[in-house]
Every structure is written in C-alpha cells, then in structure tokens.
Amino acid sequence: MTLNDLHTGDTATITRVKGRGAFRKRITEMGFIRGKPVTVVKSAPLKDPVEYRILDSNVTLRSSESSLIEVVTGADAPGIVVTPASRISGAFQRGPFVPRPGKIIDVALVGNPNSGKTTLFNRVSRSREHVGNYPGVTVSSKEALFNHRGYTFRITDLPGTYSLSDYSSEEKFVREHILKKKPDVVVNVVDANNLERNLYLTSQLIDMDITVVLALNMYDDLMARKDKLDIGLLSQLLGIRVVPTISHRGKGIFRLLNHVIRVFEGDDPDIRHIHINYGEEIEQSVQRLQELIRENPSHTDHYSSRFLSLKLLERDDSCTHLISDADNFIRIQETARDEIYRIRHLFKEDTETLVTDARYGFISGALKETMKKSGKNPGFTRSQQIDRILTHKYLGLPIFLAFLWLMFHATFTLGNHPMGWIESGIDLLSTFLRSHMAEGILRDMMVDGIIGGVGGVIVFLPNILILFFFISLMEDTGYMARTAFIMDRVMHLFGLHGKSFIPLIMGFGCNVPAIMATRTLENKNDRILTMLIIPFMSCSARLPVYVLIAGAIFPEKAGNVIFLLYMVGVVFSMLMSILFKSILFKNREAPFVMELPIYRNPGMKVILLHMWRKGAYYLKKMGGVILLASLVIWALGYFPRNVEYSIEYDQLIAQEQSPERISMLKREKEAERQKHSYIGRLGKSIEPVIRPLGFDWKMGISLVTGFAAKEIVVSTMGVLYQAGIEAEDGSSTSLQTRIRDEMYTSGPLAGKPVFTPISGFSFLIFILLYLPCIAVVTAVGRESGSWKWAGFVLFYTTAIAWVTSFAVFQIGTLLLNG
C-alpha cells in the first residue's frame, strides 16, 4: 500500500520510501522516513496534489510522488505477511506474524543461470523449489517471507539471466522488476567458478545505481582450487559488500542476511556508488544525455540518469520507452542518435560493443588486483574429462540414446516387480470387499468404480518414479545441459534451436513445465514452434497406458516397445518442426549460446527427493481428477440397470456345469449390458470413426476421457474391462489379463481378440500422438499469448494421430493377411 491508496482522514505508518536522487533527499528531509505516522488532510479539487500531516506540519505531494512512499495501516498490518513465517534466527513466533513498521526488507535475488540463486532462495525461505543444474529452470519469479533478527525479509527469486539487456524475456523481466518494484536490496548471486562472466551482470547493476549485496557462491570450489581472493578489496573496488557463501551447504547464509540488514540500514562503510569508466568519448556522450534527461525530475526520481544514458547509447528500445513521455524526448532521441553516429565514426565500432568491452575491462582490472589463481582447477578438469566422453563428437549421441534406452527399459523391467506387488494388494482388497460387503450399488461403486479405476492407475506408480529418477539424475548432475549441446546440430537440421531440446526432454516428465521452459528461448517464433511439438514427447501420464498395453500385448518385448514409442514421438516432433518452420515460422535462427555447468554429485538423497516430489503430483491426481473421472465413467457404464438381453443369461448360467462356460457367459452378459449403458451408447456412436483404426467402442471411450488427463485412459479401461466380472473362486483378474483376453462378442469379428499386436500398437500410436490433456492446452494458450495456437494443437495432433493409426492398422493388416 502507498500513500496514494489512503483516503482523507486516514492515518498510516511509513514503511519504505522508494525513489532516488533529489526527490528522495527532499522527501526524507521533510520527515517522510520509516516508522513515522502520516495523515491525509485533504485532496485538491482535481485529486492532485494531496495534503499530508507529518511531524506537526502539513506537506503537499503529487500523486506520482506519494506513490513512491509505502505505508501500513493498523487494519492492514496483520495481513502483510503470509503465516506462518519461516524462522531463520531468533525465537519462532507462533500464530500470525506481524512485522513492525520499518522492519520489512524487500530483497530481489539476481544472478546468472547455475549460480546457485534458487538454492540460496530455498535455504533462506525453507521452500522446496526444484533446482536443475541447467539454464532456464527459474522461468518466473517466486516470492517468500521469513523473519531474521527482528526483520521481515520479503525475498523474490528472479529468473536467471546473463545481463540486463533487451534481448531475452528473462533479461526484460528482471530489469523491469528492479526498475518498477524497486527492491530495497538486490542480492547478486555470482558463481565463484566463473567470476569474470558473472560480474558482467554486476557491472550493469552498478550502472543502475541501486543497493546491491554480492553473494560469492560456491566459494568452496574456489578454495578447493586454492585460489586467493581479497574479498575486502573487491568490496571496495565494486562499492558492493561481497559475502562468501556455499548455499547448497547453508554456509555463509546468516552472514549474508546480516549484511543485507546493515546495507538496508546504511551501516556498511564499503557501500558506495561508483562509476565504471567507459572512456573519454563515451563518457562525454553519457554526460550530454544526462543533462537532457535531468530536465525531467519525474523520471530521474525513478531511474538513474546515467543508466538511461548508457541504455540509449546501447540502443535499448525498452529503456527508451521509459522516457518516451518526457517533454524533451525528441531532443533526447536526436542527441542519442548523433552520439551513436559520432562514436561509431570515431572508433569504427558500434557503441554496444564498446560499452561491453569497457565493462569487461573494468571486471578484468578488479580481478587482477584482488585475485591470485593457483593454476589448479580440479572442478573444471574433472568436468572436462567427463565431457571428453559424454560430449564426444562421435560417441556423445550414441551414449545419450543408450541412456534413453536404459531409462525406458528400466522403467518397465525394474517397475514390473513392485507393480506386481501393488496389483496383488489391489486384487486382495477387491476380493475382500466383494466378500464382506452386501451386494448392491455401493459395493459395485467401491470395487468396480473406485478400486477398478484409481487402483488401475496407481499400479503404475513404480514405473513413474523410476522415470522421474532418471530425469532428476540428468537435471541435478548437469547432464541435461549437455543433451542440448549434443543435439544442437541435429536440432538445427530440423529447424529448431539447440536450446529447444531441454524443454523437449523435460516433456518426458510433464508437458506443462516443458512448455513453460520455452521462455528460455529468445525468439518468439522459436518458442511457439517448440510449444507446438512438445505434445509429441511422451509425458509420464502416458507411461501407464504404454506399460498396460505393451505389457499385455508384447510381454516379452514391452521395454523395447516403450522405447520405440518415445523415439517415434521424437521423430514426429522433428518432422512437424520442419513442416512448421517452412510454412509458419520463416525466420532467422537465434545464435546458440548455452553454458555447460560443471558436473556435480548432488547425492542420492537429493535425487530421490526430487523424484518423490514429482511422484507426489502423480499421487495427488489419484484423489482428484482421476477419482472423479473413474466415478463418472463407472456411473455411465452402470446405468441403466433395466437392460433387455438378447438371451436368458441367468437361466443358462444356472443350467451350466462347466466353470469355463459359466465365466464366458458372464462376460457375454456384461458385454451386452455395457453396450446398452449410457457410456456404451456414446461409445457406439463414435465407433464408426475409430473402427478403421482397429479400435472398439471401449477403446474409443478411453481415448475421449483421456483429454482430461492421460492417466484416465487407464482408469477408464479399469472400469470398462473389469466391471462386474470375477472368477468362480471369487478372485479378481489383473487388468492386463482382462485386456489380453478381451474378445469381440458379435459381428464378423465375434470370438476374435480385440487387442491384437497390430490393433494394440495402433492404439499406442494414437495415445502417443493425439490431443494433449487440458492442462497442456491451457499452458500453450497462456505461454504463446494466443488461444488460436491452443486450438491448433488440439486439431493438428488429433488429425495426425488418426491418419498415423489408420496407416499402421490398415498396412499392418494387409501385410499380415498377405
């Protein structure tokens, strides 16, 4: 809340004064400082300016000025901080945590990808944000609140970025947050392994003239190399307090927070604003532009005139827009244009390059004075030795494909045993309920609806966890970044950016975060193109369907079939990329620049923790959308009950002596009843469309319900193929066995299996390619900025799935019969 939000007669307490320069000096001299009460006296007839009462005197402020003063009222104070607040130090306060006015510190975490920024955020906030050891994990900001030494920290983890230019969406997002939100302190997290490159971002923060504390992260790596860094001298040279941290071990965190408090209170003697020297000619140009910009106090109250001048010389359109409403904007533009021309003519080089070179020159000089390298680099040497094999020109791609094969093969083979245990437990539960519950709708709903639906999906939890284990292993060790490097050349052949491969690989886990990860691509067309082909990457929700059908139809080769399906998805994504690139997205490719972080051993505990967090989301679906869908499918298949059968099944069953014949009659009766149920009628209505693909109506209904979530395909099958049928001894049969034994009961195919190797593979292909779940469609619409792309994804994926499955089934049938 700001002074602007108050009404006449309201009283509030000042918590923060934003703004800068002459405005900040003038406003604080008038008594607008933290902790002081202020009352709104009255507004002018046109609502601007407003008169305030502070320190026994009346002061008038414009709305643009009062919007820079944050306040808290007695009524609003309890709602400022989300409860409960995390405890960093001091006594943990139970119940609602209410910060005292003036004790709130807004902190923004800024740093390069892989600098350990999100790890630091997790440590100080006690949150559980996932940290992947590759660029682009943090694609949006996250906020947390915690208490330390009587202060409330409101900390924001911003996306990882290499600079604050006008190039990528991350750079714009971070810069806009700093300029518009005006955090009290920016904590710049830098990687001690890559100081020279990481400090480039620091140099831009220096130009912004904001309050910065530098967290020198991964300091243990620097010590392991026995490099010597004079941290005190570096702090003085940069005008920024430098604090060593080892965030993944939690070391240096308290010291960092203590320095943030000191800087916030203005008690750190090393904190000062310095000017990076860009050379005589550029400095002259900066000075000329500053003089013009300073004619607009409404802008210099918010932004550094030196920062804006440099950005104008760098031809930064976003920063130019910030002053587009200035009275002398045309003069500023013309002067900037003249100065850029003058410098380019003088140095035969563009201003962006000259400014960049000067920044790196400043960094190089600072490090020469403060850092003495031992010449040893064990961390990088180890990584380089590993990369000699894993990113080898000829071996890199085969090793990666072998890893993928191992991942999918292990998903099926290792998951088979615990899957069998869970399946047995579900069968025992079903048998127990059938034996101990009275016949009727409640028992049928429990056994056939809930257990048959949800139980049919939860069986595949071990397979899901194994898949997530391998994905977490790739992310946490640093191998995920290498996959983009390995596949860059291949991706370019298909019109894709090398960085697109990371979202595609992430799609093996879940398509939704994969689509969000496309934000790391600088070019909008590259982002949309990648979004359109991500649905072909087999997400973990499809895996239960693969395991179910492949295990039932191809029991001896299920692992290879699943691997083949994943590869088919990759091939289709590449082919569609070529098509879209030539028709919809004709543009020049952005340069491929990706950091290869050093390999790390995150420890089995971290990998298992990340695996379980992903698996927990799968379990949450069991009690939500899948449970609801299973009950709906069961109800549609259970009613109506008054069905007229073609023959007297009950009479024939009573007269029959053979157990096998009795079971067959029961299956035929249930099949005929389901055909006359509501879901059977719906399935029969769509059967003409799917019959050419080798599907019956039950398979069609399963595909329709899969739009909500692909796991529902399995739960639907669990309801349709198991409902009401049990062995003579009262035991249940597994869903895979039911599918394997399912027969056509009428028509020209009567007595023949529904799932043949050809129809089964056709069904798997359709599951692989057809429309993604509703969450993915929503993500495409939001991330692309247009819902037409979401609709396009729905249409074209389903069309391709139908055509491909038709070709697989028809050609396969011809070859088999021929």
Side-chain angles (χ1 to χ4, degrees):
M1 167 183 295
T2 67
L3 279 180
N4 257 352
D5 300 317
L6 301 180
H7 303 288
T8 301
D10 289 351
T11 298
T13 303
I14 297 172
T15 59
R16 189 160 73 116
V17 178
K18 298 187 284 188
R20 51 177 295 104
F23 162 77
R24 185 180 178 88
K25 186 174 187 297
R26 177 171 58 87
I27 209 75
T28 53
E29 287 174 349
M30 290 179 179
F32 288 86
I33 58 177
R34 293 199 310 270
K36 295 297 181 183
V38 58
T39 302
V40 183
V41 179
K42 63 178 181 292
S43 300
L46 298 178
K47 305 298 183 182
D48 198 13
V50 179
E51 184 179 340
Y52 299 95
R53 180 78 175 171
I54 188 169
L55 296 181
D56 297 325
S57 61
N58 289 12
V59 178
T60 300
L61 297 178
R62 299 191 306 269
S63 59
S64 61
E65 297 173 331
S66 57
S67 66
L68 294 174
I69 302 174
E70 290 186 356
V71 297
V72 61
T73 64
D76 290 338
I80 289 180
V81 178
V82 176
T83 58
S86 299
R87 178 174 64 88
I88 295 299
S89 66
F92 182 73
Q93 185 167 347
R94 298 184 179 276
F97 175 72
V98 183
R100 288 177 291 164
K103 293 290 187 177
I104 303 172
I105 307 178
D106 274 327
V107 178
L109 285 182
V110 176
N112 286 192
N114 299 307
S115 61
K117 181 172 49 61
T118 303
T119 304
L120 178 62
F121 176 80
N122 291 344
R123 280 284 181 178
V124 298
S125 65
R126 299 292 193 268
S127 67
R128 294 184 174 182
E129 291 298 336
H130 176 58
V131 184
N133 195 19
Y134 58 95
V137 173
T138 310
V139 292
S140 61
S141 65
K142 295 176 286 292
E143 188 175 293
L145 300 107
F146 60 91
N147 180 31
H148 178 66
R149 287 181 57 185
Y151 288 81
T152 297
F153 281 71
R154 186 160 49 203
I155 188 166
T156 304
D157 180 22
L158 295 174
T161 179
Y162 294 105
S163 74
L164 298 177
S165 302
D166 191 24
Y167 186 53
S168 71
S169 56
E170 286 80 15
E171 292 171 349
K172 295 177 184 177
F173 185 93
V174 172
R175 186 173 66 187
E176 184 173 344
H177 180 93
I178 295 173
L179 292 175
K180 300 294 176 64
K181 301 294 184 180
K182 296 179 175 59
D184 297 310
V185 180
V186 170
V187 174
N188 179 205
V189 184
V190 302
D191 180 0
N193 295 298
N194 300 287
L195 263 181
E196 189 165 3
R197 193 208 58 210
N198 276 242
L199 287 176
Y200 182 79
L201 177 60
T202 309
S203 69
Q204 292 182 311
L205 294 173
I206 290 173
D207 287 333
M208 294 180 79
D209 190 13
I210 57 178
T211 304
V212 180
V213 174
L214 192 145
L216 184 62
N217 203 26
M218 305 181 194
Y219 191 65
D220 51 337
D221 291 341
L222 187 144
M223 292 188 296
R225 294 193 302 269
K226 297 184 179 179
D227 292 344
K228 294 182 179 179
L229 180 66
D230 190 334
I231 292 175
L233 180 57
L234 183 62
S235 297
Q236 294 174 11
L237 292 176
L238 298 178
I240 295 172
R241 171 58 59 193
V242 179
V243 183
T245 59
I246 308 173
S247 56
H248 69 281
R249 295 182 185 174
K251 293 187 177 181
I253 303 297
F254 288 161
R255 189 185 311 158
L256 175 67
L257 296 177
N258 292 340
H259 278 292
V260 169
I261 294 173
R262 289 184 64 192
V263 169
F264 175 72
E265 296 291 357
D267 294 336
D268 194 320
D270 285 339
I271 295 297
R272 60 193 176 93
H273 177 54
I274 67 169
H275 282 181
I276 297 172
N277 190 339
Y278 291 99
E280 183 178 350
E281 297 300 330
I282 291 181
E283 290 293 340
Q284 284 182 14
S285 298
V286 168
Q287 187 173 356
R288 287 167 187 157
L289 288 169
Q290 277 186 283
E291 290 174 359
L292 295 174
I293 294 172
R294 284 170 180 161
E295 295 178 13
N296 303 275
S298 60
H299 291 87
T300 54
D301 287 348
H302 291 268
Y303 317 116
S304 163
S305 59
R306 180 175 176 83
F307 172 72
L308 292 176
S309 300
L310 284 165
K311 285 301 172 184
L312 286 169
L313 293 175
E314 291 181 277
R315 297 184 295 183
D316 191 306
D317 293 336
S318 295
C319 279
T320 302
H321 180 71
L322 290 176
I323 56 172
S324 59
D325 58 345
D327 295 335
N328 61 345
F329 177 63
I330 301 299
R331 284 178 58 205
I332 293 174
Q333 260 193 324
E334 290 175 349
T335 303
R337 195 180 302 117
D338 292 343
E339 293 301 321
I340 289 172
Y341 176 80
R342 183 182 69 84
I343 292 171
R344 183 184 296 164
H345 181 73
L346 190 63
F347 292 100
K348 310 301 180 188
E349 189 68 83
D350 58 70
T351 51
E352 299 99 306
T353 301
L354 292 171
V355 169
T356 300
D357 289 346
R359 286 188 178 127
Y360 274 116
F362 167 77
I363 295 166
S364 178
L367 290 180
K368 275 186 178 180
E369 291 193 42
T370 58
M371 190 169 191
K372 184 178 180 182
K373 293 191 175 183
S374 65
K376 298 179 180 179
N377 197 342
F380 277 105
T381 301
R382 183 180 65 247
S383 292
Q384 289 170 351
Q385 289 174 347
I386 297 173
D387 274 340
R388 289 179 64 182
I389 301 173
L390 296 186
T391 61
H392 189 270
K393 182 177 181 181
Y394 301 110
L395 298 178
L397 184 57
I399 290 174
F400 174 57
L401 292 176
F403 179 83
L404 289 182
W405 177 86
L406 175 65
M407 178 170 70
F408 300 128
H409 198 73
T411 296
F412 181 80
T413 54
L414 295 181
N416 244 352
H417 301 292
M419 187 177 77
W421 303 333
I422 297 174
E423 202 169 60
S424 299
I426 292 173
D427 289 343
L428 288 173
L429 179 60
S430 298
T431 303
F432 176 81
L433 291 178
R434 284 190 188 277
S435 304
H436 291 78
M437 288 184 71
E439 287 191 24
I441 186 172
L442 181 60
R443 189 187 78 168
D444 292 340
M445 182 184 70
M446 288 291 297
V447 175
D448 301 327
I450 297 178
I451 297 177
V454 177
V457 181
I458 205 171
V459 160
F460 301 100
L461 178 62
N463 308 91
I464 297 294
L465 291 177
I466 293 171
L467 175 67
F468 283 149
F469 171 82
F470 279 96
I471 292 177
S472 297
L473 180 67
M474 293 172 68
E475 291 174 346
D476 295 330
T477 58
Y479 186 54
M480 183 72 89
R482 268 72 182 181
T483 63
F485 175 78
I486 294 167
M487 296 298 295
D488 179 49
R489 181 69 63 84
V490 178
M491 300 294 277
H492 278 277
L493 294 177
F494 295 99
L496 284 169
H497 194 285
K499 285 186 180 179
S500 296
F501 194 67
I502 286 180
L504 291 176
I505 287 292
M506 289 177 68
F508 287 153
C510 179
N511 285 176
V512 174
I515 287 169
M516 295 177 67
T518 59
R519 297 177 190 174
T520 59
L521 299 170
E522 291 82 3
N523 185 279
K524 184 177 181 180
N525 284 347
D526 287 336
R527 288 201 298 273
I528 296 177
L529 173 58
T530 307
M531 287 180 210
L532 294 181
I533 63 174
I534 281 175
F536 290 135
M537 309 305 288
S538 294
C539 64
S540 59
R542 291 184 174 98
L543 183 60
V545 189
Y546 296 165
V547 174
L548 173 67
I549 304 299
I553 311 302
F554 311 99
E556 301 299 325
K557 300 178 180 178
N560 293 334
V561 170
I562 293 172
F563 176 71
L564 176 62
L565 288 170
Y566 276 84
M567 292 302 101
V568 169
V570 172
V571 170
F572 266 89
S573 67
M574 297 297 104
L575 294 177
M576 294 311 300
S577 174
I578 295 175
L579 181 63
F580 291 151
K581 192 75 171 180
S582 60
I583 298 176
L584 299 177
F585 305 106
K586 296 180 179 180
N587 67 293
R588 293 180 61 188
E589 295 170 354
F592 176 71
V593 181
M594 173 165 285
E595 177 193 3
L596 294 181
I598 63 172
Y599 286 101
R600 295 195 175 276
N601 178 14
M604 188 58 65
K605 180 181 178 181
V606 173
I607 295 174
L608 292 176
L609 182 62
H610 292 159
M611 174 196 76
W612 178 247
R613 285 177 188 160
K614 294 184 177 82
Y617 175 73
Y618 179 79
L619 281 176
K620 286 178 183 177
K621 282 187 177 181
M622 301 300 106
V625 64
I626 293 176
L627 174 60
L628 178 62
S630 298
L631 290 174
V632 171
I633 296 300
W634 170 82
L636 291 174
Y638 193 78
F639 297 104
R641 302 302 293 173
N642 54 339
V643 174
E644 293 185 8
Y645 294 101
S646 58
I647 61 175
E648 293 292 335
Y649 285 104
D650 292 338
Q651 184 178 346
L652 292 174
I653 291 172
Q655 296 172 354
E656 188 60 54
Q657 300 295 321
S658 169
E660 292 79 8
R661 178 65 180 166
I662 291 174
S663 295
M664 187 186 72
L665 287 171
K666 282 186 176 182
R667 284 196 297 270
E668 291 177 358
K669 178 186 177 182
E670 179 60 23
E672 188 170 343
R673 190 198 65 77
Q674 283 191 341
K675 285 181 183 178
H676 291 89
S677 67
Y678 296 126
I679 200 168
R681 296 170 192 175
L682 176 61
K684 286 296 181 180
S685 67
I686 66 172
E687 196 168 31
V689 179
I690 59 175
R691 177 65 72 185
L693 313 182
F695 306 163
D696 71 345
W697 69 267
K698 294 181 182 179
M699 299 160 75
I701 289 296
S702 301
L703 293 172
V704 171
T705 59
F707 177 53
K710 289 298 176 283
E711 297 97 335
I712 297 179
V713 173
V714 175
S715 65
T716 303
M717 288 184 158
V719 173
L720 293 179
Y721 288 107
Q722 293 192 100
I725 304 199
E726 57 184 89
E728 286 303 297
D729 60 0
S731 63
S732 300
T733 307
S734 72
L735 181 55
Q736 284 189 338
T737 303
R738 294 289 187 200
I739 288 174
R740 192 183 302 120
D741 296 342
E742 183 73 6
M743 299 288 181
Y744 287 104
T745 57
S746 61
L749 298 176
K752 293 185 177 180
V754 173
F755 282 91
T756 64
I758 296 175
S759 65
F761 190 69
S762 173
F763 184 74
L764 289 173
I765 289 293
F766 198 92
I767 290 289
L768 164 67
L769 301 176
Y770 90 119
L771 55 84
C773 69
I774 191 170
V776 175
V777 175
T778 303
V780 171
R782 288 176 178 171
E783 293 298 318
S784 65
S786 174
W787 291 101
K788 70 177 183 180
W789 291 118
F792 180 68
V793 166
L794 282 175
F795 170 76
Y796 101 87
T797 53
T798 305
I800 288 176
W802 194 94
V803 171
T804 307
S805 292
F806 176 83
V808 168
F809 181 73
Q810 297 297 334
I811 294 174
T813 302
L814 284 175
L815 292 175
L816 188 65
N817 294 336

